[in-house]
Amino acid sequence: MTAMVALFGFTLRQIFGQRKLWLAVALLLLPAAITVLIWAVGGEQTLKHRWEAYHVLMQMLIGLLVPLVCMLYGNALLGAEIEQRTIVYLLTRRLHRATVLLVRFAAVWLALTVLCELALLAAHLCATMSSEAVASPASGGSWQPWAAWCVYAGVTALGVAGYLAVFTTISVVFARSLIVSVVYFVLFELIIANLPLTASAASITHHLRQTVMDRMPEVRGLYDWPREVLEQVFPVGETGIDNLLLAVAVLLGLASVLVTFRELVPARVSRD
């Protein structure tokens, strides 16, 4: 247990001491910056436009920027230790390889979730700085921004776990994990997830949106798909939480088994 706690703390210190943290922060703050820019140069906006912009930017953060940040860290969950030879030290502390993977996953998930929640809060505050936007009705009902933020906050934590599990598993399975991760991200999370097809359920983004729509049905109004298509892709009354948690459990289980039996060597090995 002491070794696990030490590894958890070591991973957190490692995350906040890396330069790519600043890249992650810059990416996550884009929605807040875009929000300020819209309000600054766009002139007076109707409440409906503010409501739409709020949800679009929130879903941009969850469906675009969060997976990019998870890709940065998921591909290096064990790779950094292998390259720096510290994996040998970790294993000699009598920690099972699967334990190392899961403890590091938990630490990275916690760190990224905190960063993403803070970015979500920054975007929320920038989008609701106008008292009119908070008090007036939107999309045919009363807009309660803090209730919406709570929904997005919960979905963000789930999203970080889902995306991180995907990219961690890819890093264990494939030697060129970054290339495979980029292909996965573009194909599944950017293309398939945005098609009005039931195949979009193969993406993490789909289940996050399903959960948002279950908690806030009015968000369905953002999609200009035919009603029957929308209800087929995102069934009314269903949530994506169970599917997300199942996917995380399966992916981490697979990664744990594979990392136990694969040979952990640096990506570049001399052929001499």
Side-chain angles (χ1 to χ4, degrees), residues 95-243:
L95 286 178
H96 193 274
R97 287 181 176 183
T99 302
V100 173
L101 175 72
L102 295 176
V103 171
R104 283 182 62 80
F105 178 90
V108 174
W109 173 82
L110 177 62
L112 294 188
T113 297
V114 170
L115 289 177
C116 292
E117 299 291 7
L118 291 175
L120 196 74
L121 179 60
H124 170 87
L125 293 175
C126 290
T128 59
M129 62 178 67
S130 167
S131 59
E132 177 188 3
V134 175
S136 301
S139 186
S142 177
W143 183 20
Q144 299 177 334
W146 282 110
W149 181 84
C150 289
V151 172
Y152 282 118
V155 169
T156 297
L158 287 172
V160 172
Y163 293 127
L164 193 59
V166 169
F167 294 123
T168 298
T169 304
I170 289 176
S171 72
V172 173
V173 175
F174 298 97
R176 299 182 180 274
S177 60
L178 182 57
I179 296 176
V180 177
S181 294
V182 171
V183 171
Y184 164 83
F185 172 69
V186 173
L187 181 61
F188 284 90
E189 304 300 342
L190 290 187
I191 298 179
I192 294 179
N194 291 295
L195 294 176
L197 302 171
T198 53
S200 63
S203 67
I204 299 297
T205 302
H206 170 88
H207 299 290
L208 298 178
R209 289 173 179 166
Q210 179 72 66
T211 303
V212 170
M213 291 182 187
D214 178 62
R215 297 294 187 269
M216 297 184 292
E218 65 274 14
V219 173
R220 292 175 174 269
L222 295 173
Y223 295 83
D224 57 359
W225 301 349
R227 181 176 178 180
E228 60 274 12
V229 174
L230 183 62
E231 292 183 356
Q232 182 180 7
V233 177
F234 298 106
V236 177
E238 292 189 11
T239 179
I241 296 177
D242 292 342
N243 290 330

Side-chain angles (χ1 to χ4, degrees), residues 18-55:
Q18 294 174 332
R19 292 181 180 179
K20 65 181 177 182
L21 175 68
W22 298 107
L23 174 59
V25 171
L27 285 173
L28 292 173
L29 288 179
L30 275 177
I34 292 174
T35 302
V36 172
L37 183 63
I38 290 174
W39 298 163
V41 304
E44 187 65 25
Q45 301 288 328
T46 65
L47 184 59
K48 185 175 186 297
H49 288 156
R50 285 178 176 268
W51 179 86
E52 290 177 347
Y54 175 85
H55 287 286

